[in-house]
Amino acid sequence: MKINRNNEKKRNRFTFILLAMICILLLLFTNVSNYLKYHLEKFFLPVQAGIYKTKENITDSFQTYLNRERLFRENEVLKLENNKLKFILRENKILLEENKRLTSLLEMKQSVTEKIQFAKVYFRKPENMYEQFYIDLGSKDGIKKNMIISQGEKLIGRIVEVQENNSLVYMMTKEGMVVSAKSENHMFGVVKGIGEDKLYFEPNIYDHSLKVGDKIYTSGISDIYPGEMYIGYISEIEKEENSLFTGITVKPSVNISNLKEVLVIQSRRNYED
């Protein structure tokens, strides 16, 4: 009986020692594990941070690329819409200007008794921009030599040559062209072309009452041009010292460089058949 008790004591002691050793080993293992985990995390942290940063950079770069592509497409669409808007605005401006010109020509046509036809500028050469041009009407349209070309009440020139489908027009600004004229205060003279965007007015007798801004009209003393057609205005008066000569420059009433439509007038005066 005594022996059994001793054996039982021994077993209990062994069990206690074993449990104690197990607890010690677990404690040691836990400390070692935590120690290793801490140092491993410390060692791998820069690597993980680098991987994370690289991942973030790749994600950001890809997102930036997608945003850039989207913005590029949106920008292209906006450019296209802006160009379309500019085109529409330009076309509307052109149509508005053309409407004003045609309205002015129509009002002129309705206010006179002469036979009048609309014509478009058919052809012009840059080298003689201020001398001549062709219109798209000819003999088949009843056009005849010496018919007057105007823009509303503003005189441009006259027809000098007629073909079947087009006609040649000499402008007042052509060198050698002479038109009987008068100032608004009835100073009579002639207007001469010099092949430039200006004319010269030579009064029969110079009068100091002439001044810059005075309007010049056709005098009506002509077999071709009726009176009171607007030619232009005096833009410069230049008198040479110790000379009786006075240069009077006239600015044409028509914007010659932008001619598109004109009127062809069959005057009640004589014209060549």
Side-chain angles (χ1 to χ4, degrees):
M1 192 71 164
K2 189 175 181 180
I3 294 173
N4 289 336
R5 287 181 179 177
N6 289 334
N7 289 337
E8 184 176 354
K9 287 180 180 180
K10 288 179 180 181
R11 283 197 300 271
N12 290 338
R13 191 181 302 136
F14 177 77
T15 301
F16 176 77
I17 294 171
L18 181 62
L19 291 173
M21 290 181 66
I22 291 172
C23 289
I24 293 170
L25 289 174
L26 287 174
L27 182 62
L28 289 173
F29 179 77
T30 300
N31 289 336
V32 170
S33 176
N34 289 336
Y35 176 82
L36 290 175
K37 180 180 178 182
Y38 170 76
H39 284 282
L40 285 174
E41 288 180 350
K42 186 177 180 180
F43 175 79
F44 285 108
L45 182 62
V47 178
Q48 289 176 325
I51 293 173
Y52 177 80
K53 187 175 181 180
T54 301
K55 177 184 175 183
E56 289 296 312
N57 289 338
I58 292 173
T59 302
D60 290 344
S61 298
F62 183 68
Q63 192 64 39
T64 300
Y65 173 78
L66 293 179
N67 290 336
R68 181 176 177 275
E69 288 297 308
R70 178 178 57 79
L71 291 174
F72 178 78
R73 288 193 299 270
E74 290 178 356
N75 190 46
E76 289 300 309
V77 171
L78 290 174
K79 282 183 179 180
L80 179 61
E81 293 297 325
N82 189 43
N83 288 335
K84 285 169 63 177
L85 180 59
K86 286 181 179 179
F87 178 79
I88 291 172
L89 290 175
R90 185 170 63 251
E91 288 298 302
N92 286 343
K93 183 179 179 181
I94 292 173
L95 289 174
L96 181 61
E97 290 176 352
E98 184 176 8
N99 180 264
K100 288 180 179 179
R101 289 196 305 271
L102 294 176
T103 300
S104 175
L105 293 177
L106 183 60
E107 289 174 352
M108 171 64 181
K109 182 176 180 180
Q110 293 172 343
S111 66
V112 296
T113 58
E114 287 90 345
K115 179 181 178 182
I116 293 181
Q117 292 176 270
F118 289 111
K120 287 186 175 292
V121 175
Y122 177 67
F123 178 70
R124 302 182 73 178
K125 291 182 180 180
E127 60 266 26
N128 52 24
M129 179 70 68
Y130 301 110
E131 295 196 357
Q132 64 185 48
F133 60 87
Y134 288 84
I135 59 173
D136 62 349
L137 300 181
S139 57
K140 66 178 180 58
D141 305 295
I143 302 302
K144 296 181 181 180
K145 187 176 179 180
N146 284 337
M147 283 186 173
I148 301 166
I149 300 298
S150 74
Q151 195 173 66
E153 297 179 353
K154 302 172 183 178
L155 181 62
I156 297 173
R158 62 185 175 88
I159 293 175
V160 296
E161 185 180 308
V162 180
Q163 304 294 331
E164 182 180 358
N165 296 305
N166 57 75
S167 301
L168 176 62
V169 176
Y170 278 0
M171 293 182 280
M172 289 186 303
T173 48
K174 178 179 173 60
E175 186 175 4
M177 287 287 283
V178 179
V179 179
S180 178
K182 65 177 182 178
S183 67
E184 60 183 83
N185 56 359
H186 300 286
M187 175 66 65
F188 287 84
V190 294
V191 165
K192 294 183 177 181
I194 59 171
E196 299 179 16
D197 189 22
K198 60 183 179 180
L199 302 157
Y200 282 125
F201 178 53
E202 296 182 2
N204 295 333
I205 300 175
Y206 180 71
D207 188 331
H208 289 285
S209 65
L210 287 173
K211 60 184 183 298
V212 173
D214 283 356
K215 295 180 179 180
I216 304 298
Y217 299 89
T218 54
S219 67
I221 308 173
S222 170
D223 291 335
I224 298 175
Y225 303 103
E228 304 303 326
M229 293 196 74
Y230 183 39
I231 294 175
Y233 64 91
I234 296 176
S235 59
E236 183 181 0
I237 298 177
E238 184 179 2
K239 186 173 182 178
E240 297 182 5
E241 292 184 8
N242 303 321
S243 174
L244 296 176
F245 176 78
T246 301
I248 303 175
T249 304
V250 175
K251 179 69 174 177
S253 60
V254 177
N255 183 359
I256 295 174
S257 62
N258 194 37
L259 280 179
K260 295 179 186 291
E261 302 92 9
V262 296
L263 290 179
V264 183
I265 303 174
Q266 178 179 316
S267 175
R268 289 169 295 186
R269 293 169 176 265
N270 296 328
Y271 60 86
E272 184 176 320
D273 290 330

